[in-house]
Amino acid sequence: MTAVAAPLTQDGRSGIWGWITTVDHKRIGILYGVTAFTFFLIGGIEALLVRTQLAQADGTLLSAEAYNQLFTMHGLTMVFLVVMPTASAFTNYFLPIMLGARDVAFPRLNAFSYWLFLFAGLMIYTSFFAGGAPDGAWVGYAPLSGQITEAVRMDFWSVGLQLLGVASIVSSANFVATCFTMRAPGMTMLRMPVFAWMSLVVAFLLLFSLPSVAIGLFQLFLDRNFGALFYEAAAGADPLLWQHLFWIFGHPEVYVLVLPAMGIVSEVLPVFSRKPLFGYEFVVFSGVAIGFIGFGVWSHHMFTSGMGPVAEAGFGVATMIIAIPTGVKIFNWIGTTWGGRLNMSTPMLFSLGFIAMFVIGGLSGITHAVVPSDYQQHDTYYVVGHFHYVLFGGAIFGYVAGVYYWFPKWTGRMLDERIGKIHFWLMLLGFNLTFGPMHILGLNGMPRRTYRYPEGLGFEFWNLMATIGSYIIGISLLFFIWNIIRSRRNGTLSGSDPWDGRTLEWSIPSPPPEHNFDEVPLVRSLDDFWHTKYAEDEQGRAVRIPAVTGAEIDVFAEEEGEAHGDIHMPSPSYYPALSALGLVILGYGFVYLSFGWIAVAVGGVVALWGLFGWSLEPVTRSEHH
Amino acid sequence: MSAHSVADPIPADHEGGFDLHRTRKTGMWVFLGSECIFFGAMISTFLLYRNTTADGPGAELFDVAFTSASSFVLLMSSLTMVLAHNAFERRDIRQARIWLTGTALLGATFLAGQIFEFTEFVHAGLTMSTSPFGSSFYMLTGFHGAHVAIGVMMLTAMVILSTSGRLHHDRGLNVELVGLYWHFVDIVWIVIFTIVYLLQV
Amino acid sequence: MTVVQHTAHPAPKLYWIVALILALVTALEVAASYIDALDPVLVPLLLGLGAIKFGIVIAFFMHLKFDRPLYRSLFLLGVFGSIPLFVVLLLTFNAL
């Protein structure tokens, strides 16, 4: 069996217990990735059911009740259980390596974030068997979400999202501390790879946006279960408060979803154009600018809520402004490929696909920024088309590019190029066939979030096309899965640097050892690894430096006592998984409040046991090899 | 060198190549930055609903003198906290334990004051379900109180650990980090006390 | 490469002085809230005094004045980020 992850930990733990107690960022990255991909398939099935229902007028496959649960869970799954954890998977695996570090700042906290994500995601899914899944849309607008009384569906939703939020917040604090305090000697902030920068911006976005929705969710929970009146219009409250608190989180959230994918594209394009990234500083600072401005546009999701012309104009203008840094990135990516010797392998195809699809999505986004136009587009399929172009054609294409690019690093083997190209073209075709027509449907008046449409409104043809497109996407994913399974077993061996890469992850073996670097690198420039391989001749062309052994190149920092055998890695621990389990049990107690006090007590005890054990154990218990 | 810019890479002469204490402080400070949004959202909700009393009682229930006293108690607990940290840095564990105990006791006193205040208000007819004002008041002060309670738990844990010599610099449960958390909880109360109690516009 | 030296901790006396200042400012605030004549300027006055207490605790008790600039940036980003955010929120409700 090909070893996908690092070999045995220092403690010699293997098997399931090794995975449960791991604090190795690479293993945690793989856990996130595999879990996210599984949820992706589940969310995809939910989408296929929705699309099948809508393929014809007056569809009869799903009742309204079932439909509402499926589209709600599709949205929730894709946003919180697929795209965010996928970004986390890449950040977890590569951020430390790109920075020349051996792990993240808080390895056990890192593990805790994963286990909390897994257990909370599973918890939300158990709602299907416990009276029904959440059905108030992934955005859960009050007052509806406060009034849904079927079983405890919306409590699974609010409690589950809280737990997922906790996982993201602590993970973000982890990545911020890592970026600011654990870079290798010589790696200034402006020598970090773009992917590392985007991960840092995303961490800040989450840290400063999640608390807003956390409060909204608590308020909703209190309204539903303790008779609070935060969103009760009859008592003089304003349900619009929910929308504000939600979208203050929700808008930065969409940049959380797409910025890491933009980071990946910024890594892939230079390598496959054999040119440095054009305008590195511009790409970095435009990412930071998107992060900042992203906090100032949230009410563009609320143009039709009656805020008044001043608010609408303000948020409309801000939304247009945010197109500028986005455009800066696009132009810099074009500048990167322009004049390069392009290697059109699958990672490059998906990256170019990202740019094209994201631009289309961005253009429809601009039309949303025009307030009177948005009045017509809001709550129609036009919006559904827009966000799938940026989130699927954008973010997901970018993450798939990352999988094709970095699969060799995780496994030591290449993914198959022919199957990859079939995957790409089928997915591109299916994707555009599914979501392109939605712009037409929306402008023709088809509303979203409705379980069926009657005959005679002219919606039939494009809905059928969209459904066919969704099945083509499904088929393309089968090729993807086949590619992964086949290549893990029989893929061409890749070596450490199959793409002639530029960044530090290509300087270590594939897969990397637990401690990442035998010796901590001394970083002298941006794309430092590239500069250890190539010098420039008088005409500025790259000239390969003859391969030398490590003893001859002075690329490694000298550290006393840091010879290979003396590296102390953090020890495995079961406290993170235990604490996460305790919190989720606590969560069940809050969902089932009427008789859930036992779960609250048990969960509380387990969580406290985990947290105290964790805070009292030393980070490293192991001796030298 | 005491003035490091954000751009400096870390010196590689600590075990594992990085300074864990500095890393932990970075994590704690960014977490506290995040908590500003958390409390900011609750304070905003309160400001939105400060006059939505739905024929129920409103700010006239507040006993500013009483709350000032309990605010003073919490403020002084920040003093004892920083003295505890100072003692710990001087390796005077016994002194540290005394001040930590004092901090925990002052925190518990503050909580007792809060509970007393809440029971008075409930008797006077202000509950979470009386009005949006009631909901937002109890949620804001309740969450703050929960933060204080968690702080008292951590302080008590450290007092107990210090009796058996198990209060270390390099563990997660760490006097300086708990101190930062505790002071933060205090300054949040400064904001709440000013906006909720003193500024009953 | 040198290590950041932990800046020497101030003597306890400084902390007692800071605590005294905090107590005095609190007393001023409470007094001001009872003096009717100050009503027109009460809001900015109390917010200002509160901000002073806030700042003193952060700078001295939390040691931020003497610590790495990074910590200051991280925390003040939260403070000064949340204020405009929620001011805009409340303005859309005409609640300010």
Side-chain angles (χ1 to χ4, degrees):
Chain A
M1 186 185 83
T2 332
V4 178
L8 302 184
T9 65
Q10 276 192 322
D11 263 346
R13 295 189 193 183
S14 58
I16 305 261
W17 189 243
W19 285 96
I20 291 177
T21 58
T22 187
V23 295
D24 177 350
H25 69 98
K26 298 180 289 299
R27 281 194 168 203
I28 293 172
I30 288 169
L31 286 171
Y32 266 112
V34 171
T35 309
F37 191 70
T38 310
F39 276 122
F40 181 53
L41 298 177
I42 296 174
I45 291 172
E46 287 159 349
L48 287 179
L49 287 167
V50 165
R51 283 302 337 151
T52 310
Q53 160 74 2
L54 293 174
Q56 313 160 53
D58 293 315
T60 52
L61 176 68
L62 301 170
S63 66
E65 198 190 350
Y67 183 88
N68 292 343
Q69 292 174 49
L70 284 171
F71 85 73
T72 300
M73 288 299 283
H74 167 76
L76 190 157
T77 301
M78 290 306 189
V79 171
F80 295 109
L81 303 179
V82 176
V83 179
M84 284 175 82
T86 301
S88 244
F90 285 110
T91 304
N92 259 291
Y93 202 106
F94 290 108
L95 182 67
I97 299 176
M98 285 180 167
L99 301 184
R102 300 197 186 286
D103 209 309
V104 292
F106 310 117
R108 289 171 299 177
L109 194 66
N110 204 17
F112 170 77
S113 289
Y114 169 72
W115 293 110
L116 187 57
F117 148 64
L118 174 70
F119 294 149
L122 289 175
M123 173 188 153
I124 298 175
Y125 265 89
T126 58
S127 63
F128 271 117
F129 309 107
D135 56 355
W138 84 278
V139 298
Y141 275 19
L144 177 65
S145 53
Q147 295 162 355
I148 294 175
T149 50
E150 277 81 358
V152 283
R153 294 172 186 171
M154 293 310 283
D155 299 294
F156 269 107
W157 175 79
S158 72
V159 172
L161 285 189
Q162 287 286 28
L163 293 171
L164 291 172
V166 170
S168 287
I169 289 226
V170 299
S171 167
S172 299
N174 211 342
F175 293 148
V176 168
T178 306
C179 281
F180 282 122
T181 68
M182 293 180 66
R183 286 164 283 129
M187 183 169 287
T188 59
M189 293 295 285
L190 287 175
R191 288 178 184 167
M192 293 199 308
V194 175
F195 178 74
W197 265 106
M198 295 303 104
S199 299
L200 179 63
V201 172
V202 161
F204 276 107
L205 286 175
L206 286 169
L207 280 162
F208 294 119
S209 68
L210 277 168
S212 178
V213 74
I215 294 302
L217 286 168
F218 272 121
Q219 289 175 170
L220 187 71
F221 181 80
L222 291 172
D223 268 20
R224 284 179 59 81
N225 296 292
F226 287 96
L229 298 167
F230 290 102
Y231 304 119
E232 288 300 313
D238 196 337
L240 207 59
L241 177 65
W242 165 264
Q243 294 189 37
H244 281 286
L245 290 177
F246 181 84
W247 285 115
I248 286 175
F249 154 74
H251 193 79
E253 167 70 1
V254 313
Y255 298 115
V256 166
L257 298 175
V258 86
L259 281 176
M262 291 183 160
I264 293 175
V265 167
S266 304
E267 299 296 326
V268 169
L269 287 181
V271 171
F272 288 79
S273 310
R274 285 174 262 240
K275 274 178 75 202
L277 181 69
F278 191 90
Y280 165 87
E281 289 90 346
F282 282 95
V283 177
V284 164
F285 288 124
S286 58
V288 173
I290 289 171
F292 267 109
I293 307 174
F295 271 102
V297 300
W298 80 87
S299 285
H300 68 217
H301 299 268
M302 300 163 58
F303 281 144
T304 59
S305 64
M307 295 183 298
V310 174
E312 288 169 19
F315 281 102
V317 169
T319 307
M320 293 182 194
I321 289 176
I322 208 168
I324 297 174
T326 316
V328 166
K329 282 190 184 259
I330 309 259
F331 283 113
N332 279 287
W333 288 328
I334 295 174
T336 305
T337 54
W338 194 279
R341 280 189 307 123
L342 303 189
N343 171 1
M344 297 297 268
S345 303
T346 314
M348 184 63 154
L349 288 173
F350 274 103
S351 299
L352 294 173
F354 170 99
I355 297 174
M357 299 301 105
F358 187 81
V359 165
I360 296 174
L363 289 173
S364 60
I366 304 258
T367 65
H368 287 312
V370 179
V371 178
S373 194
D374 186 70
Y375 272 33
Q376 301 301 316
Q377 294 152 198
H378 183 72
D379 272 343
T380 69
Y381 261 83
Y382 188 92
V383 180
V384 181
H386 158 70
F387 70 67
H388 280 95
Y389 265 84
V390 287
L391 287 180
F392 191 144
I396 292 195
F397 270 50
Y399 293 121
V400 173
V403 172
Y404 278 91
Y405 181 51
W406 278 315
F407 187 86
K409 183 53 56 182
W410 301 324
T411 63
R413 293 179 186 273
M414 308 295 286
L415 277 170
D416 185 280
E417 262 306 305
R418 282 171 319 141
I419 304 175
K421 290 192 158 87
I422 296 174
H423 169 203
F424 171 72
W425 289 108
L426 270 181
M427 189 175 246
L428 186 71
L429 171 70
F431 164 78
N432 279 288
L433 188 59
T434 309
F435 298 109
M438 288 186 185
H439 298 91
I440 302 172
L441 284 168
L443 292 178
N444 283 337
M446 182 175 175
R448 58 186 290 206
R449 297 182 177 137
T450 39
Y451 80 112
R452 68 180 182 195
Y453 54 91
E455 276 182 29
L457 291 175
F459 298 154
E460 291 88 333
F461 178 71
W462 288 120
N463 266 296
L464 182 61
M465 290 300 108
T467 303
I468 293 171
S470 66
Y471 277 94
I472 296 175
I473 295 176
I475 294 169
S476 77
L477 287 176
L478 293 176
F479 279 95
F480 189 36
I481 295 169
W482 177 35
N483 200 351
I484 291 173
I485 295 174
R486 192 174 170 280
S487 303
R488 271 198 61 193
R489 248 183 259 130
N490 300 323
T492 327
L493 291 175
S494 64
S496 61
D497 185 16
W499 306 116
D500 201 13
R502 309 179 73 89
T503 40
L504 285 173
E505 73 271 24
W506 305 109
S507 71
I508 57 179
S510 307
E514 188 192 358
H515 55 275
N516 296 342
F517 299 93
D518 284 350
E519 288 168 49
V520 174
L522 176 66
V523 173
R524 293 203 162 98
S525 64
L526 181 64
D527 286 345
D528 190 65
F529 177 59
W530 176 267
H531 294 293
T532 68
K533 294 188 290 180
Y534 293 93
E536 278 185 9
D537 66 10
E538 316 79 51
Q539 279 124 341
R541 285 177 305 198
V543 172
R544 182 95 209 197
I545 297 173
V548 288
T549 64
E552 292 173 45
I553 310 182
D554 179 22
V555 289
F556 300 114
E558 279 181 28
E559 291 185 26
E560 284 191 26
E562 269 257 350
H564 190 20
D566 279 6
I567 300 170
H568 296 269
M569 294 303 294
S571 308
S573 168
Y574 61 83
Y575 288 120
L578 187 68
S579 306
L581 184 66
L583 284 181
V584 171
I585 296 174
L586 192 71
Y588 270 109
F590 279 110
V591 169
Y592 287 107
L593 267 177
S594 47
F595 53 87
W597 294 107
I598 301 234
V600 172
V602 168
V605 164
V606 171
L608 281 171
W609 170 23
L611 291 169
F612 271 111
W614 175 353
S615 61
L616 295 174
E617 77 179 347
V619 177
T620 315
R621 266 180 275 120
S622 51
E623 296 297 325
H624 302 249
H625 281 310
Chain B
M1 264 208 305
S2 58
H4 272 228
S5 74
V6 169
D8 281 356
I10 27 77
D13 50 3
H14 280 256
E15 180 179 290
F18 66 98
D19 178 351
L20 184 58
H21 186 68
R22 182 176 145 216
T23 302
R24 283 196 172 125
K25 271 177 92 165
T26 306
M28 176 55 85
W29 274 112
V30 80
F31 170 69
L32 294 181
S34 165
E35 288 256 80
C36 290
I37 314 289
F38 188 76
F39 280 101
M42 280 193 281
I43 291 171
S44 302
T45 304
F46 176 82
L47 285 172
L48 183 65
Y49 290 148
R50 68 182 329 165
N51 295 313
T52 317
T53 48
D55 302 326
E60 68 274 8
L61 284 186
F62 295 160
D63 180 351
V64 175
F66 179 85
T67 318
S68 308
S70 62
S71 302
F72 179 76
V73 164
L74 196 64
L75 217 47
M76 291 305 110
S77 76
S78 260
L79 171 66
T80 53
M81 181 73 235
V82 77
L83 291 171
H85 177 229
N86 194 269
F88 183 74
E89 290 297 313
R90 289 182 280 111
R91 301 286 182 272
D92 187 346
I93 303 295
R94 197 183 148 273
Q95 267 289 60
R97 179 163 57 248
I98 293 172
W99 289 121
L100 283 173
T101 310
T103 312
L105 284 174
L106 288 171
T109 307
F110 172 82
L111 281 177
Q114 292 289 87
I115 294 172
F116 173 73
E117 213 183 25
F118 291 171
T119 26
E120 292 290 289
F121 291 170
V122 168
H123 286 323
L126 181 70
T127 66
M128 181 159 267
S129 358
T130 310
S131 59
F133 170 81
S135 307
S136 53
F137 171 78
Y138 282 114
M139 182 167 169
L140 175 59
T141 50
F143 259 109
H144 176 263
H147 277 72
V148 173
I150 291 170
V152 170
M153 266 202 300
M154 292 195 287
L155 289 162
T156 311
M158 288 197 298
V159 167
I160 295 172
L161 285 173
S162 72
T163 59
S164 50
R166 288 192 299 155
L167 199 59
H168 298 293
H169 242 127
D170 60 348
R171 294 289 188 274
L173 192 65
N174 170 298
V175 177
E176 184 171 10
L177 295 180
V178 173
L180 288 177
Y181 172 86
W182 187 260
H183 295 305
F184 178 76
V185 167
D186 184 24
I187 60 179
V188 169
W189 183 254
I190 291 173
V191 178
I192 294 176
F193 178 60
T194 308
I195 290 182
V196 173
Y197 292 88
L198 293 180
L199 285 173
Q200 301 161 47
V201 176
Chain C
M1 288 177 278
T2 55
V3 179
V4 175
Q5 292 305 333
H6 218 24
T7 43
H9 283 255
K13 191 167 109 168
L14 174 65
Y15 297 137
W16 285 96
I17 296 173
V18 171
L20 187 63
I21 296 174
L22 288 170
L24 283 172
V25 174
T26 309
L28 276 174
E29 285 173 334
V30 177
S33 71
Y34 281 108
I35 297 174
D36 288 338
L38 284 173
D39 272 356
V41 295
L42 197 63
V43 173
L45 178 67
L46 288 179
L47 286 177
L49 289 173
I52 290 173
K53 287 201 300 195
F54 193 93
I56 292 177
V57 172
I58 293 176
F60 295 99
F61 284 176
M62 296 172 92
H63 216 235
L64 205 56
K65 187 165 164 12
F66 311 100
D67 245 328
R68 314 176 57 84
L70 173 63
Y71 305 148
R72 211 175 300 155
S73 313
L74 292 174
F75 183 68
L76 294 182
L77 186 65
V79 174
F80 291 118
S82 64
I83 293 174
L85 191 70
F86 293 115
V87 163
V88 170
L89 167 65
L90 289 169
L91 283 174
T92 64
F93 283 104
N94 298 311
L96 269 185

